[in-house]
Amino acid sequence: MKYEKLAKEIIQSVGGKENIVALQHCMTRLRFTLKDESRADDARIEGIDGVLSLIKKAGQYQVVIGTHVHDVYLDICKLANISDTNDSSKNEKEGKKGIVRSIFGAIIGCIGPLIPILVGTGLGKCILLVISMMGWANAETSMTYYIFNFAFDAGFMFLPVFTAIAAAKHFKCNVFLAALLGCILVHPNWNSIVSAVDPKFIGQMFGALPVYGMPYTSSLIPSILIVFVMSRLEKSLNRVIPEVLKGMLIPLLVLLIMVPLSFVVLAPAMGLISIYTGKALLWAYNTFGMFGIAIVCIVYPWLVVGGMHAPLAIAGIQILSQSGFDPISRTLTLTANISQGTAALACGLKTKNKKFRSTCFSASLTAFLAGITEPCIYGVTLRLKKPMLAVMIGSFAGGLYAGFAGLKAFAFMTPSLINLPMWVGEGAPNNLKNALITMVISAVVSFIATWVIGFDDPVEEEKDSAQSVENHISQVESPVKGMTVPMSEVGDSMFSNGILGEGIAIKPTDGKVYAPVDGTVSATFETKHAIGIKSDDGLELLIHVGIDTVKLNGKPFKQFVEKDAQVKKGDLLIEFDVDEIEKAGLDSTVMVVVTNSTDYLEVLPTKETSVSTNDILLRVI
């Protein structure tokens, strides 16, 4: 096995093979579903030679590897005895994630497995279009053309079936029953009685349940929700039906329940969401045009960093299936890919570090030729920070022109130099030229911006060890004693929605706030209910005592430091009376927020439920 050593280290670092519930991969990332994330050693993962970064999003533990991720995935599957097929014996408790989070995680998980289908059929359609435009063949004159044409169409037509299979693997239910439900959505008999996109009443099931007809070919979301519900139904039936009858009754009962539920409730509801999401995005595109695209291009590189770009890709697939082209998601990806590759190239030409220069050039080549930017992001631009600003500027400039020119993608592919045919479409003779101009603008602007803005050249060789990663992790100690509370559960939307930044909350057991880091007091308040600290290594922290305690005008608080004072870990900052706050009918929870969270890759709260003032509360990467 080519990557046996790397695979072994990753398995050990995520808590061993017994801690792995499921494993998928996309173009660059291993996507683990773990039984207990606290058993995974985050610092050790990032210290492994061959791992670019660690991202934890949408219930997945994502290890960024690079373009050879598939080979690493295969070695991990072999070493950890992970099967690529559904295994009902692995239906372990994964924690109560909730329907919204589960569906969002499934959507992201489904994109990776579907990409080969979308790329292959999309590129095939582009090639056929070029052949037809050149007058070499068409469906009327060539049987070869005719067969390939409907073969490539099948990728989108039967998308609900492929999605159902991917969702079944994610939700760990019977793959074949899920595929059958996907097939039912695109059955010719159903499509023959559905003539309009908007749902219309076409009859009743059981003489009472209304059925509204709409086509589900080329859709993603209906299959995901249907299979999610099916997985819960299947588990419930497995618990109540005797073992001797399971093989016969469960498949029948699943179909008897899921078919009417799908056609009466689930499919039409999700079909409407899919259709009107696409319509809303097209409306926004047509309304705001070049400026709307350009503005989103600014933030898109950061969506990729956070692994949150998948929903835009899904929207792109939906728009492509509805209108035959995608003017949004592929344009965003094009400007970001070219800007990332060019920024890495500029860094490689400017750096004096030979090893880093090699990293820059290889990452740049990967972005230009394959459209894969994670090596650029985690190896160059995000690592140096300043080049990310240049990427944003280059993406904005390219997006401005793309929006002005009305650039459209006619196939769902990863934009790169190799995939230029995706911009060729019937009735859009200048589209390919506009794509090339967009690429040139993004490249020139990001190159100049990188060169002018500059970066701190990494002159020393980095050690590929867990210790070197540890040195890049800022640690924040708990400022108070108490019980930890996830920030999402705090009763103030400014904190729970992460508007002020990421962090954690503590239900205090005493009324003393100590300095959690060495640094400088950056902000104080007349009401003494909060304090800001900037640590010596750049963290900007807000410690906020209670919710709406500003109303108390400082009465239960005593402050021991002033603004601009130097503090050391453990210095007493504030005293407050917990009982007096709660007698006033207010919440005494203490929020600890990293207000410059966006400057960092991850803010990792402690997994402990109880903390003292010398315990590590946050690790910031």
Side-chain angles (χ1 to χ4, degrees), residues 593-618:
V593 182
V594 180
T595 56
N596 61 337
S597 300
T598 55
D599 293 344
Y600 299 91
L601 184 60
E602 288 285 343
V603 176
L604 307 173
T606 180
K607 302 294 184 182
E608 300 297 328
T609 56
S610 175
V611 290
S612 297
T613 52
N614 59 347
D615 293 336
I616 300 301
L617 185 70
L618 298 171

CSV table of all heavy atoms in Angstrom, one decimal, residues 593-618:
chain,number,residue,atom,x,y,z
A,593,VAL,N,-15.5,34.9,23.9
A,593,VAL,CA,-15.6,34.9,22.5
A,593,VAL,C,-14.3,35.4,21.9
A,593,VAL,O,-13.7,36.3,22.4
A,593,VAL,CB,-16.7,35.9,22.0
A,593,VAL,CG1,-16.8,35.9,20.5
A,593,VAL,CG2,-18.1,35.5,22.7
A,594,VAL,N,-13.9,34.7,20.8
A,594,VAL,CA,-12.7,35.1,20.0
A,594,VAL,C,-13.3,36.0,18.9
A,594,VAL,O,-13.8,35.6,17.9
A,594,VAL,CB,-11.9,33.9,19.4
A,594,VAL,CG1,-10.8,34.5,18.6
A,594,VAL,CG2,-11.5,33.0,20.5
A,595,THR,N,-13.2,37.3,19.2
A,595,THR,CA,-13.9,38.3,18.2
A,595,THR,C,-13.2,38.4,16.9
A,595,THR,O,-13.8,38.9,15.9
A,595,THR,CB,-13.9,39.7,18.9
A,595,THR,OG1,-12.6,40.1,19.2
A,595,THR,CG2,-14.8,39.6,20.1
A,596,ASN,N,-11.9,38.0,16.8
A,596,ASN,CA,-11.3,37.9,15.5
A,596,ASN,C,-11.2,36.5,15.0
A,596,ASN,O,-10.1,36.1,14.4
A,596,ASN,CB,-9.9,38.6,15.5
A,596,ASN,CG,-8.9,38.0,16.4
A,596,ASN,OD1,-9.3,37.3,17.4
A,596,ASN,ND2,-7.6,38.2,16.2
A,597,SER,N,-12.2,35.7,15.2
A,597,SER,CA,-12.3,34.3,14.8
A,597,SER,C,-11.9,34.1,13.3
A,597,SER,O,-11.3,33.1,12.9
A,597,SER,CB,-13.6,33.7,15.0
A,597,SER,OG,-14.0,33.8,16.4
A,598,THR,N,-12.3,35.1,12.5
A,598,THR,CA,-12.1,34.9,11.0
A,598,THR,C,-10.7,34.9,10.6
A,598,THR,O,-10.3,34.6,9.5
A,598,THR,CB,-12.9,36.0,10.2
A,598,THR,OG1,-12.5,37.3,10.7
A,598,THR,CG2,-14.4,35.8,10.4
A,599,ASP,N,-9.8,35.4,11.5
A,599,ASP,CA,-8.4,35.4,11.3
A,599,ASP,C,-7.7,34.0,11.4
A,599,ASP,O,-6.6,33.8,11.1
A,599,ASP,CB,-7.6,36.4,12.2
A,599,ASP,CG,-8.0,37.8,11.9
A,599,ASP,OD1,-8.6,38.1,10.8
A,599,ASP,OD2,-7.7,38.7,12.8
A,600,TYR,N,-8.5,33.0,11.9
A,600,TYR,CA,-8.0,31.7,12.2
A,600,TYR,C,-8.8,30.6,11.5
A,600,TYR,O,-9.9,30.8,11.1
A,600,TYR,CB,-8.0,31.5,13.8
A,600,TYR,CG,-7.2,32.5,14.5
A,600,TYR,CD1,-7.8,33.7,15.0
A,600,TYR,CD2,-5.8,32.3,14.7
A,600,TYR,CE1,-7.0,34.6,15.6
A,600,TYR,CE2,-5.1,33.2,15.4
A,600,TYR,CZ,-5.7,34.4,15.9
A,600,TYR,OH,-4.9,35.3,16.5
A,601,LEU,N,-8.1,29.5,11.4
A,601,LEU,CA,-8.7,28.3,10.8
A,601,LEU,C,-9.9,27.7,11.6
A,601,LEU,O,-10.9,27.4,11.1
A,601,LEU,CB,-7.7,27.3,10.4
A,601,LEU,CG,-8.1,26.1,9.6
A,601,LEU,CD1,-8.6,26.5,8.3
A,601,LEU,CD2,-7.0,25.1,9.5
A,602,GLU,N,-9.6,27.5,12.9
A,602,GLU,CA,-10.6,26.9,13.7
A,602,GLU,C,-10.5,27.5,15.2
A,602,GLU,O,-9.4,27.8,15.6
A,602,GLU,CB,-10.3,25.4,13.8
A,602,GLU,CG,-10.7,24.6,12.6
A,602,GLU,CD,-12.2,24.5,12.4
A,602,GLU,OE1,-13.0,24.6,13.3
A,602,GLU,OE2,-12.6,24.2,11.2
A,603,VAL,N,-11.6,27.6,15.8
A,603,VAL,CA,-11.7,27.8,17.2
A,603,VAL,C,-12.3,26.6,17.9
A,603,VAL,O,-13.5,26.3,17.6
A,603,VAL,CB,-12.6,29.1,17.5
A,603,VAL,CG1,-12.7,29.3,19.1
A,603,VAL,CG2,-11.9,30.3,16.9
A,604,LEU,N,-11.6,25.9,18.7
A,604,LEU,CA,-12.0,24.6,19.2
A,604,LEU,C,-12.3,24.7,20.7
A,604,LEU,O,-11.4,24.8,21.5
A,604,LEU,CB,-10.9,23.5,18.9
A,604,LEU,CG,-10.4,23.4,17.5
A,604,LEU,CD1,-9.2,22.5,17.4
A,604,LEU,CD2,-11.5,22.9,16.6
A,605,PRO,N,-13.6,24.6,21.1
A,605,PRO,CA,-13.9,24.6,22.5
A,605,PRO,C,-13.5,23.3,23.2
A,605,PRO,O,-13.4,22.3,22.5
A,605,PRO,CB,-15.4,24.8,22.5
A,605,PRO,CG,-15.8,25.2,21.1
A,605,PRO,CD,-14.7,24.6,20.2
A,606,THR,N,-13.3,23.4,24.5
A,606,THR,CA,-13.0,22.2,25.3
A,606,THR,C,-14.2,21.2,25.2
A,606,THR,O,-15.4,21.6,25.0
A,606,THR,CB,-12.7,22.5,26.7
A,606,THR,OG1,-12.5,21.3,27.5
A,606,THR,CG2,-13.9,23.2,27.4
A,607,LYS,N,-13.9,20.0,25.4
A,607,LYS,CA,-15.0,18.9,25.4
A,607,LYS,C,-15.4,18.7,26.9
A,607,LYS,O,-16.4,18.0,27.1
A,607,LYS,CB,-14.5,17.6,24.8
A,607,LYS,CG,-14.0,17.7,23.4
A,607,LYS,CD,-15.1,18.1,22.5
A,607,LYS,CE,-14.7,18.1,21.0
A,607,LYS,NZ,-15.7,18.4,20.1
A,608,GLU,N,-14.7,19.3,27.8
A,608,GLU,CA,-15.0,19.1,29.2
A,608,GLU,C,-16.3,19.8,29.6
A,608,GLU,O,-16.6,20.9,29.1
A,608,GLU,CB,-13.9,19.6,30.1
A,608,GLU,CG,-12.6,18.9,29.9
A,608,GLU,CD,-12.6,17.4,30.2
A,608,GLU,OE1,-13.4,17.0,31.1
A,608,GLU,OE2,-11.9,16.6,29.5
A,609,THR,N,-17.1,19.2,30.5
A,609,THR,CA,-18.4,19.8,30.9
A,609,THR,C,-18.2,20.7,32.1
A,609,THR,O,-19.0,21.6,32.4
A,609,THR,CB,-19.4,18.8,31.3
A,609,THR,OG1,-18.9,17.9,32.2
A,609,THR,CG2,-19.8,18.0,30.0
A,610,SER,N,-17.1,20.6,32.9
A,610,SER,CA,-16.8,21.4,34.0
A,610,SER,C,-15.3,21.9,33.9
A,610,SER,O,-14.4,21.1,33.5
A,610,SER,CB,-16.9,20.5,35.3
A,610,SER,OG,-16.5,21.2,36.5
A,611,VAL,N,-15.1,23.2,34.2
A,611,VAL,CA,-13.8,23.8,34.1
A,611,VAL,C,-13.5,24.6,35.3
A,611,VAL,O,-14.3,25.2,36.0
A,611,VAL,CB,-13.7,24.7,32.8
A,611,VAL,CG1,-13.7,23.8,31.6
A,611,VAL,CG2,-14.8,25.7,32.8
A,612,SER,N,-12.1,24.6,35.6
A,612,SER,CA,-11.6,25.5,36.6
A,612,SER,C,-10.8,26.6,35.9
A,612,SER,O,-10.5,26.5,34.7
A,612,SER,CB,-10.7,24.8,37.6
A,612,SER,OG,-11.5,23.8,38.3
A,613,THR,N,-10.3,27.5,36.7
A,613,THR,CA,-9.6,28.7,36.0
A,613,THR,C,-8.3,28.4,35.4
A,613,THR,O,-7.7,29.2,34.7
A,613,THR,CB,-9.5,29.8,37.0
A,613,THR,OG1,-8.8,29.3,38.2
A,613,THR,CG2,-10.8,30.4,37.4
A,614,ASN,N,-7.7,27.2,35.7
A,614,ASN,CA,-6.4,26.9,35.1
A,614,ASN,C,-6.6,25.8,34.0
A,614,ASN,O,-5.6,25.3,33.5
A,614,ASN,CB,-5.4,26.4,36.1
A,614,ASN,CG,-5.9,25.1,36.9
A,614,ASN,OD1,-7.1,24.8,36.8
A,614,ASN,ND2,-5.1,24.5,37.7
A,615,ASP,N,-7.8,25.5,33.6
A,615,ASP,CA,-8.1,24.5,32.6
A,615,ASP,C,-8.1,25.2,31.2
A,615,ASP,O,-8.5,26.4,31.1
A,615,ASP,CB,-9.4,23.8,32.8
A,615,ASP,CG,-9.4,22.9,34.0
A,615,ASP,OD1,-8.4,22.5,34.4
A,615,ASP,OD2,-10.5,22.7,34.6
A,616,ILE,N,-7.7,24.4,30.2
A,616,ILE,CA,-7.8,25.0,28.8
A,616,ILE,C,-9.2,25.0,28.4
A,616,ILE,O,-9.9,24.0,28.4
A,616,ILE,CB,-7.0,24.1,27.8
A,616,ILE,CG1,-5.5,24.0,28.3
A,616,ILE,CG2,-7.1,24.7,26.4
A,616,ILE,CD1,-4.8,25.4,28.4
A,617,LEU,N,-9.7,26.2,28.0
A,617,LEU,CA,-11.1,26.4,27.5
A,617,LEU,C,-11.2,26.4,26.0
A,617,LEU,O,-12.2,25.8,25.5
A,617,LEU,CB,-11.6,27.7,28.1
A,617,LEU,CG,-13.1,28.0,27.9
A,617,LEU,CD1,-14.0,27.1,28.7
A,617,LEU,CD2,-13.4,29.5,28.2
A,618,LEU,N,-10.3,27.0,25.3
A,618,LEU,CA,-10.3,27.1,23.9
A,618,LEU,C,-8.9,26.9,23.3
A,618,LEU,O,-7.9,27.3,23.9
A,618,LEU,CB,-10.8,28.5,23.4
A,618,LEU,CG,-12.2,29.0,23.8
A,618,LEU,CD1,-12.3,30.5,23.5
A,618,LEU,CD2,-13.2,28.2,23.1
